[in-house]
Amino acid sequence: QVQLVESGGGVVQAGGSLRLSCSASGSIISINSMGWYRQASGNQRELVARISSGGINHADSVKGRFTISRDNAKNMVSMQMNSLKPEDTAVYYCNAHVRYLDGAYIYTRERWGQGTQVTVSS
């Protein structure tokens, strides 16, 4: 099986910065894409940023403020969040499309982390 573990959430004042990290572990053969989603209270989960062999994309709401990066050798993805706004407050989830070995079989599945809370105070 594959696990995604996030770290780096917390409480910060508006204008501040946080860095989120996510590490994937397990019998991983390859990871196609890794990214970050967020879900604010009462809202649907939305894509924040994603990185894959096809490129990098950031949601319009975070362009110029958030930067996603990936360490393929360590199966890690990070996101530097600068100039944070109160509307960035949400639970942030790591996401990955992973090809992995489970027993004698190879699977390709989407996996999610448990989420990390980011709170931006005004």
Side-chain angles (χ1 to χ4, degrees):
Q1 291 293 332
V2 173
Q3 285 190 325
L4 303 182
V5 178
E6 301 119 333
S7 61
V11 181
V12 65
Q13 288 189 331
S17 298
L18 285 172
R19 184 176 180 84
L20 303 182
S21 294
C22 172
S23 179
S25 62
S27 300
I28 296 170
I29 298 171
S30 62
I31 301 178
N32 182 24
S33 68
M34 298 188 80
W36 293 93
Y37 287 70
R38 67 186 180 187
Q39 187 167 17
S41 179
N43 290 357
Q44 290 187 333
R45 193 172 296 189
E46 63 176 2
L47 174 68
V48 180
R50 180 169 53 206
I51 184 169
S52 70
S53 58
I56 299 172
N57 62 291
H58 295 82
D60 288 343
S61 59
V62 306
K63 282 181 180 177
R65 301 187 298 121
F66 293 10
T67 303
I68 191 172
S69 61
R70 181 174 168 181
D71 186 333
N72 291 329
K74 296 181 179 179
N75 291 328
M76 289 185 64
V77 64
S78 299
M79 185 165 67
Q80 180 66 38
M81 304 186 296
N82 298 328
S83 302
L84 282 159
K85 305 175 180 180
E87 51 263 44
D88 294 318
T89 295
V91 177
Y92 284 70
Y93 296 91
C94 180
N95 172 276
H97 287 79
V98 185
R99 190 164 180 251
Y100 63 95
L101 183 67
D102 187 356
Y105 298 96
I106 294 174
Y107 297 89
T108 299
R109 296 286 188 272
E110 182 179 41
R111 287 290 177 259
W112 293 90
Q114 79 283 358
T116 184
Q117 177 70 45
V118 170
T119 302
V120 184
S121 61
S122 57

mmCIF file of all heavy atoms in Angstrom, residues 37-65:
data_model
loop_
_atom_site.group_PDB
_atom_site.id
_atom_site.type_symbol
_atom_site.label_atom_id
_atom_site.label_comp_id
_atom_site.label_asym_id
_atom_site.label_seq_id
_atom_site.Cartn_x
_atom_site.Cartn_y
_atom_site.Cartn_z
ATOM 1 N N TYR A 37 -4.540 19.925 -2.964
ATOM 2 C CA TYR A 37 -5.913 20.387 -3.019
ATOM 3 C C TYR A 37 -6.233 21.015 -1.666
ATOM 4 O O TYR A 37 -5.531 20.788 -0.678
ATOM 5 C CB TYR A 37 -6.876 19.227 -3.275
ATOM 6 C CG TYR A 37 -6.845 18.679 -4.675
ATOM 7 C CD1 TYR A 37 -5.750 17.964 -5.152
ATOM 8 C CD2 TYR A 37 -7.924 18.874 -5.546
ATOM 9 C CE1 TYR A 37 -5.725 17.463 -6.450
ATOM 10 C CE2 TYR A 37 -7.921 18.373 -6.839
ATOM 11 C CZ TYR A 37 -6.812 17.660 -7.281
ATOM 12 O OH TYR A 37 -6.799 17.164 -8.558
ATOM 13 N N ARG A 38 -7.290 21.783 -1.638
ATOM 14 C CA ARG A 38 -7.734 22.336 -0.362
ATOM 15 C C ARG A 38 -9.253 22.340 -0.290
ATOM 16 O O ARG A 38 -9.935 22.384 -1.311
ATOM 17 C CB ARG A 38 -7.185 23.751 -0.145
ATOM 18 C CG ARG A 38 -7.729 24.803 -1.081
ATOM 19 C CD ARG A 38 -7.009 26.138 -0.861
ATOM 20 N NE ARG A 38 -7.518 27.181 -1.748
ATOM 21 C CZ ARG A 38 -6.981 28.385 -1.857
ATOM 22 N NH1 ARG A 38 -5.902 28.706 -1.128
ATOM 23 N NH2 ARG A 38 -7.501 29.285 -2.673
ATOM 24 N N GLN A 39 -9.727 22.310 0.945
ATOM 25 C CA GLN A 39 -11.162 22.337 1.174
ATOM 26 C C GLN A 39 -11.441 23.239 2.360
ATOM 27 O O GLN A 39 -11.068 22.919 3.495
ATOM 28 C CB GLN A 39 -11.702 20.933 1.428
ATOM 29 C CG GLN A 39 -13.204 20.874 1.517
ATOM 30 C CD GLN A 39 -13.738 19.448 1.456
ATOM 31 O OE1 GLN A 39 -13.004 18.476 1.664
ATOM 32 N NE2 GLN A 39 -15.003 19.313 1.135
ATOM 33 N N ALA A 40 -12.091 24.352 2.075
ATOM 34 C CA ALA A 40 -12.520 25.261 3.129
ATOM 35 C C ALA A 40 -13.865 24.802 3.664
ATOM 36 O O ALA A 40 -14.616 24.100 2.972
ATOM 37 C CB ALA A 40 -12.605 26.682 2.593
ATOM 38 N N SER A 41 -14.174 25.194 4.859
ATOM 39 C CA SER A 41 -15.418 24.785 5.491
ATOM 40 C C SER A 41 -16.600 25.177 4.624
ATOM 41 O O SER A 41 -16.737 26.329 4.212
ATOM 42 C CB SER A 41 -15.543 25.434 6.871
ATOM 43 O OG SER A 41 -16.741 25.073 7.498
ATOM 44 N N GLY A 42 -17.455 24.201 4.308
ATOM 45 C CA GLY A 42 -18.640 24.448 3.515
ATOM 46 C C GLY A 42 -18.410 24.480 2.017
ATOM 47 O O GLY A 42 -19.360 24.665 1.253
ATOM 48 N N ASN A 43 -17.165 24.318 1.607
ATOM 49 C CA ASN A 43 -16.847 24.364 0.176
ATOM 50 C C ASN A 43 -16.417 23.000 -0.344
ATOM 51 O O ASN A 43 -16.088 22.102 0.424
ATOM 52 C CB ASN A 43 -15.724 25.373 -0.081
ATOM 53 C CG ASN A 43 -16.167 26.801 0.114
ATOM 54 O OD1 ASN A 43 -17.334 27.086 0.399
ATOM 55 N ND2 ASN A 43 -15.229 27.714 -0.015
ATOM 56 N N GLN A 44 -16.390 22.883 -1.669
ATOM 57 C CA GLN A 44 -15.884 21.670 -2.279
ATOM 58 C C GLN A 44 -14.354 21.700 -2.304
ATOM 59 O O GLN A 44 -13.735 22.761 -2.271
ATOM 60 C CB GLN A 44 -16.423 21.537 -3.710
ATOM 61 C CG GLN A 44 -17.910 21.234 -3.774
ATOM 62 C CD GLN A 44 -18.377 20.944 -5.195
ATOM 63 O OE1 GLN A 44 -17.802 21.413 -6.166
ATOM 64 N NE2 GLN A 44 -19.428 20.157 -5.320
ATOM 65 N N ARG A 45 -13.799 20.509 -2.398
ATOM 66 C CA ARG A 45 -12.351 20.417 -2.509
ATOM 67 C C ARG A 45 -11.930 20.964 -3.865
ATOM 68 O O ARG A 45 -12.552 20.668 -4.891
ATOM 69 C CB ARG A 45 -11.901 18.959 -2.347
ATOM 70 C CG ARG A 45 -10.412 18.777 -2.135
ATOM 71 C CD ARG A 45 -10.074 17.342 -1.788
ATOM 72 N NE ARG A 45 -10.673 16.931 -0.514
ATOM 73 C CZ ARG A 45 -10.387 15.775 0.093
ATOM 74 N NH1 ARG A 45 -9.521 14.937 -0.454
ATOM 75 N NH2 ARG A 45 -10.979 15.464 1.227
ATOM 76 N N GLU A 46 -10.863 21.751 -3.894
ATOM 77 C CA GLU A 46 -10.409 22.366 -5.131
ATOM 78 C C GLU A 46 -8.903 22.173 -5.316
ATOM 79 O O GLU A 46 -8.150 22.099 -4.343
ATOM 80 C CB GLU A 46 -10.732 23.868 -5.142
ATOM 81 C CG GLU A 46 -10.028 24.671 -4.059
ATOM 82 C CD GLU A 46 -10.300 26.170 -4.152
ATOM 83 O OE1 GLU A 46 -11.063 26.595 -5.045
ATOM 84 O OE2 GLU A 46 -9.717 26.914 -3.335
ATOM 85 N N LEU A 47 -8.505 22.119 -6.572
ATOM 86 C CA LEU A 47 -7.093 21.994 -6.899
ATOM 87 C C LEU A 47 -6.380 23.301 -6.592
ATOM 88 O O LEU A 47 -6.846 24.372 -6.983
ATOM 89 C CB LEU A 47 -6.925 21.638 -8.375
ATOM 90 C CG LEU A 47 -5.495 21.619 -8.902
ATOM 91 C CD1 LEU A 47 -4.708 20.476 -8.282
ATOM 92 C CD2 LEU A 47 -5.504 21.515 -10.417
ATOM 93 N N VAL A 48 -5.237 23.200 -5.933
ATOM 94 C CA VAL A 48 -4.405 24.363 -5.667
ATOM 95 C C VAL A 48 -3.214 24.382 -6.627
ATOM 96 O O VAL A 48 -2.950 25.384 -7.288
ATOM 97 C CB VAL A 48 -3.891 24.371 -4.216
ATOM 98 C CG1 VAL A 48 -3.016 25.588 -3.969
ATOM 99 C CG2 VAL A 48 -5.052 24.337 -3.236
ATOM 100 N N ALA A 49 -2.507 23.270 -6.709
ATOM 101 C CA ALA A 49 -1.347 23.187 -7.597
ATOM 102 C C ALA A 49 -1.026 21.722 -7.848
ATOM 103 O O ALA A 49 -1.291 20.865 -7.001
ATOM 104 C CB ALA A 49 -0.132 23.891 -7.000
ATOM 105 N N ARG A 50 -0.472 21.457 -9.030
ATOM 106 C CA ARG A 50 -0.144 20.078 -9.399
ATOM 107 C C ARG A 50 1.095 20.095 -10.265
ATOM 108 O O ARG A 50 1.293 21.013 -11.066
ATOM 109 C CB ARG A 50 -1.312 19.431 -10.125
ATOM 110 C CG ARG A 50 -1.083 17.986 -10.546
ATOM 111 C CD ARG A 50 -2.378 17.368 -11.014
ATOM 112 N NE ARG A 50 -3.042 18.147 -12.030
ATOM 113 C CZ ARG A 50 -4.357 18.113 -12.245
ATOM 114 N NH1 ARG A 50 -5.139 17.360 -11.497
ATOM 115 N NH2 ARG A 50 -4.883 18.845 -13.195
ATOM 116 N N ILE A 51 1.897 19.053 -10.100
ATOM 117 C CA ILE A 51 3.119 18.926 -10.891
ATOM 118 C C ILE A 51 3.193 17.504 -11.429
ATOM 119 O O ILE A 51 2.976 16.536 -10.710
ATOM 120 C CB ILE A 51 4.352 19.301 -10.036
ATOM 121 C CG1 ILE A 51 5.631 19.269 -10.868
ATOM 122 C CG2 ILE A 51 4.472 18.434 -8.802
ATOM 123 C CD1 ILE A 51 6.814 19.898 -10.141
ATOM 124 N N SER A 52 3.484 17.396 -12.725
ATOM 125 C CA SER A 52 3.578 16.089 -13.365
ATOM 126 C C SER A 52 4.596 16.184 -14.480
ATOM 127 O O SER A 52 5.178 17.238 -14.709
ATOM 128 C CB SER A 52 2.222 15.657 -13.907
ATOM 129 O OG SER A 52 1.875 16.470 -15.008
ATOM 130 N N SER A 53 4.757 15.087 -15.204
ATOM 131 C CA SER A 53 5.685 15.103 -16.333
ATOM 132 C C SER A 53 5.203 16.062 -17.408
ATOM 133 O O SER A 53 5.989 16.541 -18.220
ATOM 134 C CB SER A 53 5.837 13.702 -16.908
ATOM 135 O OG SER A 53 4.579 13.197 -17.310
ATOM 136 N N GLY A 54 3.910 16.385 -17.379
ATOM 137 C CA GLY A 54 3.356 17.297 -18.369
ATOM 138 C C GLY A 54 3.520 18.757 -18.029
ATOM 139 O O GLY A 54 3.251 19.627 -18.864
ATOM 140 N N GLY A 55 3.958 19.026 -16.819
ATOM 141 C CA GLY A 55 4.172 20.406 -16.433
ATOM 142 C C GLY A 55 3.642 20.732 -15.063
ATOM 143 O O GLY A 55 3.317 19.832 -14.278
ATOM 144 N N ILE A 56 3.551 22.022 -14.795
ATOM 145 C CA ILE A 56 3.107 22.526 -13.495
ATOM 146 C C ILE A 56 1.925 23.453 -13.708
ATOM 147 O O ILE A 56 1.927 24.245 -14.659
ATOM 148 C CB ILE A 56 4.240 23.298 -12.796
ATOM 149 C CG1 ILE A 56 5.440 22.376 -12.543
ATOM 150 C CG2 ILE A 56 3.755 23.909 -11.495
ATOM 151 C CD1 ILE A 56 6.667 23.116 -12.021
ATOM 152 N N ASN A 57 0.942 23.326 -12.869
ATOM 153 C CA ASN A 57 -0.131 24.314 -12.931
ATOM 154 C C ASN A 57 -0.564 24.722 -11.531
ATOM 155 O O ASN A 57 -0.548 23.908 -10.605
ATOM 156 C CB ASN A 57 -1.319 23.816 -13.761
ATOM 157 C CG ASN A 57 -1.970 22.580 -13.189
ATOM 158 O OD1 ASN A 57 -1.390 21.509 -13.195
ATOM 159 N ND2 ASN A 57 -3.183 22.729 -12.682
ATOM 160 N N HIS A 58 -0.893 25.966 -11.413
ATOM 161 C CA HIS A 58 -1.383 26.546 -10.176
ATOM 162 C C HIS A 58 -2.760 27.150 -10.425
ATOM 163 O O HIS A 58 -3.022 27.704 -11.494
ATOM 164 C CB HIS A 58 -0.458 27.652 -9.667
ATOM 165 C CG HIS A 58 0.907 27.198 -9.270
ATOM 166 N ND1 HIS A 58 1.923 27.001 -10.178
ATOM 167 C CD2 HIS A 58 1.429 26.895 -8.048
ATOM 168 C CE1 HIS A 58 3.016 26.602 -9.531
ATOM 169 N NE2 HIS A 58 2.742 26.529 -8.242
ATOM 170 N N ALA A 59 -3.609 27.068 -9.429
ATOM 171 C CA ALA A 59 -4.904 27.719 -9.531
ATOM 172 C C ALA A 59 -4.700 29.232 -9.667
ATOM 173 O O ALA A 59 -3.744 29.790 -9.127
ATOM 174 C CB ALA A 59 -5.743 27.415 -8.293
ATOM 175 N N ASP A 60 -5.595 29.880 -10.392
ATOM 176 C CA ASP A 60 -5.478 31.323 -10.596
ATOM 177 C C ASP A 60 -5.429 32.072 -9.272
ATOM 178 O O ASP A 60 -4.735 33.089 -9.149
ATOM 179 C CB ASP A 60 -6.650 31.831 -11.435
ATOM 180 C CG ASP A 60 -6.553 31.399 -12.891
ATOM 181 O OD1 ASP A 60 -5.457 31.003 -13.332
ATOM 182 O OD2 ASP A 60 -7.581 31.459 -13.585
ATOM 183 N N SER A 61 -6.142 31.576 -8.279
ATOM 184 C CA SER A 61 -6.230 32.271 -7.004
ATOM 185 C C SER A 61 -4.912 32.287 -6.233
ATOM 186 O O SER A 61 -4.757 33.077 -5.299
ATOM 187 C CB SER A 61 -7.314 31.632 -6.131
ATOM 188 O OG SER A 61 -7.019 30.266 -5.899
ATOM 189 N N VAL A 62 -3.969 31.412 -6.617
ATOM 190 C CA VAL A 62 -2.699 31.351 -5.879
ATOM 191 C C VAL A 62 -1.493 31.676 -6.745
ATOM 192 O O VAL A 62 -0.365 31.693 -6.247
ATOM 193 C CB VAL A 62 -2.501 29.962 -5.223
ATOM 194 C CG1 VAL A 62 -3.700 29.603 -4.354
ATOM 195 C CG2 VAL A 62 -2.242 28.882 -6.261
ATOM 196 N N LYS A 63 -1.710 31.926 -8.025
ATOM 197 C CA LYS A 63 -0.583 32.240 -8.909
ATOM 198 C C LYS A 63 0.178 33.464 -8.406
ATOM 199 O O LYS A 63 -0.429 34.472 -8.030
ATOM 200 C CB LYS A 63 -1.083 32.472 -10.332
ATOM 201 C CG LYS A 63 -1.391 31.193 -11.081
ATOM 202 C CD LYS A 63 -1.860 31.471 -12.505
ATOM 203 C CE LYS A 63 -2.158 30.168 -13.244
ATOM 204 N NZ LYS A 63 -2.694 30.414 -14.615
ATOM 205 N N GLY A 64 1.496 33.336 -8.413
ATOM 206 C CA GLY A 64 2.334 34.430 -7.939
ATOM 207 C C GLY A 64 2.562 34.412 -6.445
ATOM 208 O O GLY A 64 3.419 35.154 -5.942
ATOM 209 N N ARG A 65 1.808 33.593 -5.732
ATOM 210 C CA ARG A 65 1.956 33.519 -4.270
ATOM 211 C C ARG A 65 2.416 32.132 -3.808
ATOM 212 O O ARG A 65 3.195 32.024 -2.862
ATOM 213 C CB ARG A 65 0.640 33.862 -3.577
ATOM 214 C CG ARG A 65 0.115 35.242 -3.906
ATOM 215 C CD ARG A 65 -1.102 35.600 -3.050
ATOM 216 N NE ARG A 65 -2.225 34.698 -3.270
ATOM 217 C CZ ARG A 65 -2.797 33.962 -2.314
ATOM 218 N NH1 ARG A 65 -2.340 34.023 -1.068
ATOM 219 N NH2 ARG A 65 -3.832 33.181 -2.600
#
